[in-house]
Amino acid sequence: MFRISTEPLDSAVLQRSLADAHAGACVTFEGWVRDHNEGQPVVALDYEAYAPLAQKEGLRILAEARERFAIRGAVCVHRVGALKIGELAVWVGVTAAHRGAAFDACRYLIDEAKARVPIWKKEHYGDGATVWINCATRGDFAHQLKT
Amino acid sequence: MFRISTEPLDSAVLQRSLADAHAGACVTFEGWVRDHNEGQPVVALDYEAYAPLAQKEGLRILAEARERFAIRGAVCVHRVGALKIGELAVWVGVTAAHRGAAFDACRYLIDEAKARVPIWKKEHYGDGATVWINCATRGDFAHQLKT
Amino acid sequence: MITVHIQYFAILREQRGLAHETLATHAATAAALYEELRDRYGFTLPRDRVRAAVNEEFVAWEAPLRDGQKVVFIPPVAGG
Amino acid sequence: MITVHIQYFAILREQRGLAHETLATHAATAAALYEELRDRYGFTLPRDRVRAAVNEEFVAWEAPLRDGQKVVFIPPVAGG
């Protein structure tokens, strides 16, 4: 299951959705809003998604994980909207008979989701500045150096 | 924190204990009692620990993980007693600024805990037979083949 | 001349100053349309850091644009 | 002759039929004690699949045993 959520994520509920008597291992990844990035204090984040394409790309990544790894269940949910420090931005959970496949698939899902799913993150810093992550261009860097 | 627990584990409570505004990633591993092992239907499990030494060895493994990986928090709790299918046998959670360290440390902790901490598992099968896992000897296998 | 529906996200939405518009264009490909919009609105992202999507699927930059299509330009993603 | 306190776990507890005992022995090392108990109680695990712990720490098989120590033999572990 892949989902973009405008509501806060509840990891306990998400994990219960993976309950499975055939599974011996459950590995989860949670992405939390961190209070700093590359040395800068971060006070809040906005996440934004192109939901229809995010959904399709998310399902493709889940299908790839099922092909590559001997897993049973897999879920990825990404929050969008205005998030505060400590809030849950993304939840990935994978179950498998054995732990190796669960770890590998969970890592694959979050790595691919971060690289491919059309979701964007804007950081708000203590001084009021904001930056769309990964969108800086040479000109922006020059500007940042001057200020 | 390492702990041997005679009470059921609550993963939501354990994960909340890792809350940390400096952490951007939280990876957890849960070991669940699976309804089969190597083709045999399993109906229940007993876990037993040599608690004082388990505690010391668990803390050593956590300290090793802190030395090897750039992590912030790490918790491992293992349940002992009579467990039913689907119950949580072991919970490992790791937080870090970045996800790579959290995945690697979580994997290290469960691998080392399974290999080194004095905890034993007895499986109960559908036909009433029981086996202490990893304790079969050549004679046992011969016996199993005959029955 | 074709008419396309463009939706903007993230840094492109901010630099354009709106979230979607319907536009008549002579651009024959997604690439040509991005360069046209970049000239007009001063998008800072060069095309090689952006991807194109048409009707909710990623497309190659040189895929031909057709009348009535929904076009989205995807700035570098940053989920997680 | 020394007296040691032995605690049994898992398969060794079941094969011994009790969880702990205090024992007088001539065994000078953990290795000698395990072999003595194995002969007496028919433990199925050969020594190379077992580890020894004395006073709540793992020890080498050839570490000398002393009077009053707590000895535990550790069958192959299987946590998780």
Side-chain angles (χ1 to χ4, degrees):
Chain A
M1 187 260 277
F2 184 89
R3 196 156 51 82
I4 299 290
S5 173
T6 56
E7 299 298 313
L9 310 185
D10 183 332
S11 38
V13 169
L14 290 167
Q15 192 156 25
R16 270 199 295 279
S17 76
L18 284 168
D20 176 355
H22 299 316
C26 179
V27 173
T28 71
F29 170 81
E30 297 196 353
W32 296 348
V33 178
R34 207 174 46 192
D35 64 3
H36 66 283
N37 191 19
E38 291 174 13
Q40 290 242 55
V42 173
V43 295
L45 280 186
D46 294 319
Y47 280 103
E48 178 173 334
Y50 176 27
L53 185 52
Q55 182 67 29
K56 287 180 187 178
E57 193 70 1
L59 291 177
R60 277 191 282 261
I61 293 168
L62 286 169
E64 291 163 13
R66 288 183 178 284
E67 267 189 26
R68 284 166 189 247
F69 308 105
I71 60 176
R72 292 194 50 85
V75 166
C76 179
V77 185
H78 205 297
R79 172 87 184 278
V80 290
L83 276 74
K84 293 191 285 283
I85 303 302
E87 276 199 278
L88 183 50
V90 57
W91 192 91
V92 180
V94 177
T95 54
H98 301 287
R99 71 189 182 285
F103 271 105
D104 292 345
C106 188
R107 183 74 196 256
Y108 180 83
L109 289 172
I110 185 62
D111 285 355
E112 294 297 308
K114 284 174 82 95
R116 293 161 50 185
V117 175
I119 296 174
W120 300 276
K121 172 162 63 180
K122 183 183 186 173
E123 289 185 345
H124 296 255
Y125 303 109
D127 62 0
T130 63
V131 164
W132 286 100
I133 298 303
N134 296 343
C135 291
T137 56
R138 200 167 304 240
D140 297 338
F141 280 123
H143 174 70
Q144 282 180 8
L145 287 173
K146 270 182 283 175
T147 59
Chain B
M1 188 260 279
F2 184 89
R3 196 155 52 82
I4 299 290
S5 173
T6 55
E7 299 298 314
L9 310 186
D10 183 330
S11 38
V13 170
L14 291 167
Q15 192 156 22
R16 271 199 294 278
S17 77
L18 285 169
D20 176 355
H22 299 316
C26 179
V27 173
T28 71
F29 170 81
E30 298 197 353
W32 295 349
V33 178
R34 207 174 45 194
D35 64 3
H36 66 284
N37 190 18
E38 291 174 12
Q40 291 241 54
V42 173
V43 295
L45 280 186
D46 294 321
Y47 279 103
E48 177 172 334
Y50 175 27
L53 185 52
Q55 181 68 29
K56 287 180 186 177
E57 193 70 0
L59 291 177
R60 276 192 283 261
I61 293 168
L62 286 169
E64 291 163 14
R66 288 182 179 284
E67 267 189 25
R68 284 167 188 246
F69 308 105
I71 61 177
R72 293 194 50 86
V75 166
C76 178
V77 186
H78 205 298
R79 173 88 184 277
V80 291
L83 275 74
K84 293 190 286 282
I85 302 301
E87 277 200 277
L88 183 50
V90 57
W91 191 91
V92 181
V94 177
T95 54
H98 301 286
R99 70 188 183 287
F103 271 106
D104 292 345
C106 189
R107 183 74 196 256
Y108 181 83
L109 289 172
I110 185 61
D111 286 356
E112 294 297 308
K114 284 174 82 96
R116 293 161 49 186
V117 175
I119 295 175
W120 301 277
K121 172 161 64 179
K122 183 182 186 175
E123 289 185 345
H124 296 256
Y125 302 109
D127 63 1
T130 63
V131 164
W132 286 100
I133 298 303
N134 296 342
C135 291
T137 56
R138 201 167 302 242
D140 296 335
F141 280 124
H143 174 71
Q144 282 180 6
L145 288 173
K146 271 182 281 173
T147 58
Chain C
M1 199 88 164
I2 56 170
T3 297
V4 291
H5 309 284
I6 307 173
Q7 203 174 349
Y8 296 105
F9 289 96
I11 195 170
L12 295 180
R13 178 175 46 69
E14 290 190 351
Q15 292 180 345
R16 174 61 186 94
L18 49 75
H20 45 84
E21 64 182 329
T22 296
L23 205 92
T25 180
H26 288 287
T29 63
L33 179 59
Y34 185 75
E35 296 299 350
E36 176 186 332
L37 299 170
R38 202 179 160 217
D39 281 351
R40 194 180 307 170
Y41 304 126
F43 294 157
T44 51
L45 285 168
R47 185 156 60 84
D48 64 6
R49 299 197 46 212
V50 176
R51 294 180 72 188
V54 168
N55 290 356
E56 302 178 357
E57 281 296 352
F58 290 112
V59 297
W61 279 114
E62 299 310 324
L65 277 186
R66 298 207 171 79
D67 193 60
Q69 283 181 325
K70 292 188 290 183
V71 181
V72 175
F73 298 107
I74 314 281
V77 304
Chain D
M1 199 88 163
I2 57 170
T3 297
V4 291
H5 309 283
I6 307 173
Q7 203 174 349
Y8 296 105
F9 289 95
I11 195 171
L12 295 180
R13 179 175 45 71
E14 290 191 351
Q15 292 179 346
R16 174 63 186 92
L18 49 75
H20 45 85
E21 64 183 328
T22 296
L23 206 92
T25 180
H26 288 285
T29 64
L33 180 60
Y34 186 74
E35 297 300 349
E36 175 186 333
L37 298 171
R38 201 178 161 217
D39 282 351
R40 194 181 308 170
Y41 304 127
F43 294 157
T44 51
L45 286 168
R47 184 157 59 84
D48 64 6
R49 300 197 45 213
V50 177
R51 295 180 72 188
V54 168
N55 291 356
E56 302 179 356
E57 282 296 353
F58 290 112
V59 297
W61 279 114
E62 299 310 324
L65 277 186
R66 297 208 172 77
D67 194 61
Q69 284 181 324
K70 291 188 290 183
V71 181
V72 174
F73 297 108
I74 314 281
V77 304

